Amino acid sequence: MIEIAVVPCLADNYAYLVKGPDFCAVVDPSQAPPIEAALAARRWRLTHILNTHHHLDHTGGNLDLKQRFGAKVVGPGKDAARIPGLDIGVTEASGWQIGGEMVEVLEVPGHTRGAITFVMGGDAFTGDTLFAMGCGALFEGDPAMMWASLSKLMQLPGATKIYCGHEYTQKNARFALTLEPGNPALAQRMDAVTATRARGEPTMPSTMELEKATNPFLRVSSAEIRAALGMQAADDIAVFAEVRRRKDSF
Ligand code: ZN
Ligand code: FE
């Protein structure tokens, strides 16, 4: 059995504690103090630090946590030089094991060249590649690359829980509604998210099924979205690129 705790960091980042029978990992620690407090509250001892990509708001706590707990840093092997304190570089081909549990590594370039998603059983940690109703900005990739990465994530079973790197959900929902106001699943999710945030709770996790039903970046074949963009006959990558372009200035 795996237990997961959501740990808010910085202004709107999420790190995650993943506790198994004989390991405790943190995914994307922006900073050490909130992670240390969350560990202490549960009397958990950190064994591993997992990074989805090199950005400082996902790796800023690496060195402090590594020094304090002797935890091993695990991250994208193809971006080894940019991951502070990296001990174990993983690739899609290598996968990885933690305490006898198989961890699937999906290489999902686009937000950064080296971005990866960790899949542990039915839980996927997508960093800044896939957000609730959004996707990461294309800092180091192009639309074709990001679309291929999101398409790879869409192969995960619908029940897969999605844990992403930021609480951007409400703003993403507002943007999604500009393109697809007639999507009943989206309207319903907007209401649910508004209530969750009003209680001050995180909107994580999502599920792949819910993302496919409401995330405009995964819904480039939606007739309503294509009509909104005037791109009924365009190919998927072109539609994705236009949705991304509009979100960049939303
Ligand atoms: Zn990032
Ligand atoms: Fe980030």
Side-chain angles (χ1 to χ4, degrees):
M1 268 307 286
I2 281 185
E3 235 183 299
I4 295 174
V6 183
V7 186
C9 294
L10 304 177
D12 54 28
N13 276 80
Y14 287 130
Y16 300 99
L17 295 181
V18 185
K19 176 77 171 72
D22 51 8
F23 65 88
C24 180
V26 61
V27 181
D28 285 352
S30 315
Q31 41 179 179
I35 308 305
E36 291 170 341
L39 288 164
R42 294 168 177 79
R43 299 170 181 277
W44 291 352
R45 185 176 171 79
L46 194 69
T47 60
H48 294 85
I49 297 162
L50 277 52
N51 298 131
T52 61
H53 65 293
H54 73 88
H55 286 157
L56 189 62
D57 62 316
H58 299 256
T59 60
N62 277 20
L63 296 180
D64 284 352
L65 291 169
K66 179 174 175 168
Q67 185 177 34
R68 168 144 180 207
F69 295 98
K72 294 275 181 244
V73 178
V74 183
K78 291 184 177 168
D79 219 350
R82 297 196 290 181
I83 303 291
L86 186 75
D87 295 298
I88 303 168
V90 295
T91 65
E92 190 163 299
S94 74
W96 186 56
Q97 277 198 24
I98 185 168
E101 303 262 354
M102 201 50 217
V103 179
E104 191 180 353
V105 174
L106 299 176
E107 289 171 350
V108 285
H111 177 65
T112 67
R113 287 266 164 180
I116 57 177
T117 285
F118 294 97
V119 185
M120 306 173 73
D123 300 304
F125 299 90
T126 59
D128 291 356
T129 298
L130 177 66
F131 292 126
M133 290 176 276
C135 78
L138 304 185
F139 291 131
E140 300 177 10
D142 61 18
M145 186 185 282
M146 189 60 143
W147 176 244
S149 293
L150 294 173
S151 299
K152 189 185 283 185
L153 294 178
M154 287 168 76
Q155 303 300 310
L156 291 167
T160 305
K161 292 199 178 86
I162 305 295
Y163 294 86
C164 25
H166 291 266
E167 181 61 64
Y168 291 159
T169 311
Q170 268 182 304
K171 188 174 182 193
N172 287 344
R174 283 197 290 277
F175 173 72
L177 278 168
T178 66
L179 296 178
E180 216 177 11
N183 177 350
L186 180 57
Q188 194 185 347
R189 190 174 183 192
M190 178 58 144
D191 290 345
V193 159
T194 303
T196 301
R197 294 305 294 154
R199 292 194 302 269
E201 292 169 7
T203 59
M204 305 306 142
S206 172
T207 65
M208 182 48 71
E209 193 172 33
L210 190 53
E211 291 312 316
K212 282 181 176 173
T214 57
N215 188 325
F217 295 96
L218 306 185
R219 295 178 58 75
V220 299
S221 56
S222 152
E224 187 179 3
I225 290 179
R226 284 172 168 258
L229 301 173
M231 298 180 77
Q232 285 89 340
D235 66 37
D236 287 348
I237 293 169
V239 176
F240 173 78
E242 179 61 16
V243 175
R244 187 60 257 176
R245 197 186 65 75
R246 291 192 182 211
K247 178 64 170 63
D248 286 340
S249 56
F250 178 72

